[in-house]
Amino acid sequence: YPIWSTWARYKVDVNTFSVRQFAKEIIDRGFPRGTFEIDDKWETCYGSAEFNTSRFENIKELVNELNSNGFKTSLWTHPFLNLDCPCHEVAKTKGYLVKSTSNTTNVTWWNGDASYVDFTNPEAAAWWSNGLRNLLAKSGIDTLKIDAGESSWSPQLPVFHDNNLTYYPDNIVNAYLRTISPFGNGIEYRASRRSQEFGRLLRMNDRNSRWDFHQGLPTLITALIQLNMIGYPFILPDMIGGNGYFNSPPSKEMYIRWMQANVFMPVVQFSYTPWDFDKQTVDICRNLMNLRANYTDTIIELMRGSVAKGTPLNPPVWWIDPTDPVAQVIDDEYLLGENILVAPVIVEGATSRDVYLPFGLWRDENHPNSHLITGRKWLRNYPAKLDVLPWFTRVTLSYH
C-alpha cells in the first residue's frame, strides 16, 4: 500500500477541504488507499502539537472519515519550537532546549527562528513526546512522519544535557531516535547516524524534480544502494516525481520514469498524482502498482531476511557478482533481493538504454518467452519507450 502525502502537491496549503478532496480523488481513481499523510502547516504554531482549528475544524471527524474509507493516517512533525510559540518559553524556562557555548538557544530552520529540543535530556524528551501522544490520542491519527533531527540544527557549538563527548555531536541524533521509537513501527524518520539498530522506514532526504545528480531522479538509485550497503534496508524513497520545488513540478515523462524506478523499492509514496497528467500516465502507473502487488510477498519475505540475517533488500548489481569489474561500477541499476534486476530509464528523452546483466541466467520480463540471457553481458540500446521498464529475473534451470 502506498503513502499519499499532501506535501509536494499542496505544500502548506493544507486544510480539511484539501484533504477530503485528495482522498476522494484517490478513491475515485481506484488506486490503493494506503496511508494518508498530512504534512506541514497543521499546527497552531511550530512546536505546539495542537491542530489549527481554522484549517482543521474537527480533526477527529476527518480522521474517522479517512479511516472509514480505508486509509491509515500519518502526521508530519519535527523537533523544533518556534520562538513565537508559547511552548517555547515553557521549554526554555525548564531547560529543555539545546544551548550553545555562548548560552544561546536560537537556531533557524526552514520554517523560521526556533530552538531545538534537547533530546539528550530525558525530561525534555518525555515532555515533547507527551505532547505528541496527547495529540494522537485526541485526533485518532495512527502514526508520524518525523522530520529533521540532524545534529547540524543545534546552535553552534552545541552543549547538550548529556555531556558524554564520545559521540559528540551525534548523541543528539540517537537521543532523538530513542525518543521517537516508542511511537511504533509505522513511523518514518530521516536523521540517522550509526543507528541501524532502530529499523523502521528511513526516508531519503527531499528529492528535486530534476534529471541530474542535484538530488534528482538518478540519485534515487544511488541513495538506495548506498543506504542498503551501510545497513539501512528499509528505505522510504521520496515522493514520485520529486518535490517540485522552485515552482518546477515534474513533467509527465519524469513522473513516469520516476514511478518505474521506484516500483521495486520498499515503499511507493505519492503526492503529485498520475491524474495530474493524463490517462496514459494513470494507466502506466496503475499497471506498475499491479506489478508491484504481485511482488509484495517477495518484498516482505526479503524484509524478514534483512532482519534475520542483515542482508540488503535492494543491493547494487555487484552484490551477486562481486569480482566482476563491470558490475562494480554500475550505478543506474539495482536489485530486489538477489534475483530481480531493475534497470529504469533515468535520462530525459531516452527511449532505450544499455543494460548490464551480471553472472547468471536471466529472463527478460518484457519478453518472458524469449531465450534466456547468459550474464556478464551488455544489452546495448535495449528498447524502452515511455511505458517500458527494463527488468529481469535470474532463473535456475532444473535438469531431469
Side-chain angles (χ1 to χ4, degrees):
Y1 292 96
I3 295 172
W4 298 92
S5 170
T6 61
W7 175 244
R9 201 180 198 220
Y10 296 98
K11 299 299 191 290
V12 297
D13 294 327
V14 64
N15 53 40
T16 297
F17 176 81
S18 60
V19 168
R20 281 187 171 137
Q21 180 62 33
F22 194 12
K24 183 178 185 301
E25 290 179 23
I26 297 163
I27 295 165
D28 289 349
R29 271 31 176 231
F31 272 70
R33 312 293 164 85
T35 298
F36 195 102
E37 195 168 80
I38 299 173
D39 211 285
D40 195 357
K41 212 60 178 176
W42 56 268
E43 284 180 284
T44 55
C45 54
Y46 291 109
S48 72
E50 294 179 359
F51 268 90
N52 182 343
T53 55
S54 68
R55 287 173 174 261
F56 294 93
E57 300 81 2
N58 188 332
I59 186 60
K60 178 71 172 174
E61 179 182 279
L62 180 61
V63 169
N64 286 342
E65 185 180 315
L66 290 168
N67 290 159
S68 69
N69 282 314
F71 292 98
K72 290 187 175 181
T73 49
S74 179
L75 185 69
W76 172 84
T77 191
H78 54 86
F80 304 107
L81 308 177
N82 271 27
L83 302 187
D84 61 358
C85 208
C87 61
H88 182 275
E89 193 58 35
V90 173
K92 187 173 183 179
T93 301
K94 290 178 178 289
Y96 288 170
L97 306 175
V98 178
K99 296 179 181 178
S100 71
T101 50
S102 57
N103 209 37
T104 181
T105 64
N106 292 5
V107 298
T108 300
W109 65 305
W110 62 89
N111 279 325
D113 296 325
S115 295
Y116 188 2
V117 175
D118 188 351
F119 294 95
T120 73
N121 180 344
E123 288 186 12
W127 174 82
W128 181 85
S129 295
N130 287 338
L132 282 176
R133 283 198 183 88
N134 290 337
L135 174 70
L136 295 178
K138 287 189 290 186
S139 65
I141 288 170
D142 295 300
T143 192
L144 297 167
K145 170 185 177 178
I146 301 169
D147 216 341
E150 296 85 359
S151 60
S152 56
W153 295 110
S154 306
Q156 301 299 313
L157 292 167
V159 177
F160 302 117
H161 176 83
D162 174 6
N163 59 10
N164 183 339
L165 299 182
T166 305
Y167 295 112
Y168 176 89
D170 296 320
N171 44 346
I172 187 72
V173 177
N174 283 297
Y176 186 43
L177 296 180
R178 283 192 297 272
T179 302
I180 65 177
S181 288
F183 285 96
N185 292 333
I187 63 170
E188 59 173 274
Y189 61 96
R190 81 169 199 192
S192 196
R193 175 69 171 165
R194 287 184 289 229
S195 42
Q196 291 88 340
E197 65 188 274
F198 290 99
R200 301 173 178 82
L201 288 177
L202 177 65
R203 180 174 64 89
M204 291 184 191
N205 279 2
D206 291 9
R207 261 38 194 178
N208 295 321
S209 302
R210 301 172 60 119
W211 291 96
D212 58 25
F213 277 89
H214 294 282
Q215 296 290 75
L217 174 56
T219 68
L220 200 67
I221 299 171
T222 53
L224 177 79
I225 59 180
Q226 186 265 341
L227 288 164
N228 268 266
M229 286 296 94
I230 60 172
Y232 298 98
F234 304 144
I235 298 304
L236 173 58
D238 205 14
M239 291 158 272
I240 301 297
N243 282 268
Y245 289 137
F246 311 112
N247 201 30
S248 298
S251 65
K252 169 185 170 176
E253 180 192 7
M254 178 184 289
Y255 191 87
I256 290 171
R257 293 308 195 189
W258 204 297
M259 179 70 197
Q260 291 168 345
N262 198 150
V263 72
F264 285 109
M265 296 183 188
V267 183
V268 172
Q269 181 175 199
F270 292 106
S271 188
Y272 294 117
T273 69
W275 52 92
D276 290 336
F277 301 93
D278 59 14
K279 184 179 183 300
Q280 184 189 26
T281 310
V282 171
D283 290 343
I284 290 171
C285 290
R286 181 178 281 116
N287 290 339
L288 288 166
M289 288 301 291
N290 290 338
L291 170 63
R292 177 181 175 81
N294 292 335
Y295 286 87
T296 299
D297 289 345
T298 300
I299 293 170
I300 292 171
E301 181 183 350
L302 290 167
M303 286 179 167
R304 290 187 176 126
S306 293
V307 173
K309 305 173 188 175
T311 50
L313 186 67
N314 290 121
V317 171
W318 62 256
W319 180 256
I320 56 172
D321 198 359
T323 62
D324 180 357
V326 179
Q328 289 168 3
V329 296
I330 299 294
D331 64 358
D332 59 357
E333 305 174 11
Y334 69 91
L335 301 172
L336 174 63
E338 298 187 352
N339 294 317
I340 293 174
L341 184 146
V342 189
V345 174
I346 54 174
V347 175
E348 185 176 15
T351 55
S352 67
R353 63 156 292 167
D354 294 343
V355 176
Y356 186 73
L357 299 177
F359 179 81
L361 280 174
W362 296 90
R363 181 172 62 241
D364 180 350
E365 295 296 355
N366 287 298
H367 306 94
N369 296 319
S370 60
H371 293 297
L372 297 177
I373 305 165
T374 301
R376 291 200 169 181
K377 179 178 182 179
W378 281 105
L379 306 181
R380 299 292 184 183
N381 298 312
Y382 183 97
K385 56 189 177 64
L386 189 56
D387 61 347
V388 174
L389 167 64
W391 67 289
F392 303 80
T393 301
R394 191 167 63 151
V395 300
T396 302
L397 292 181
S398 297
Y399 295 96
H400 300 283

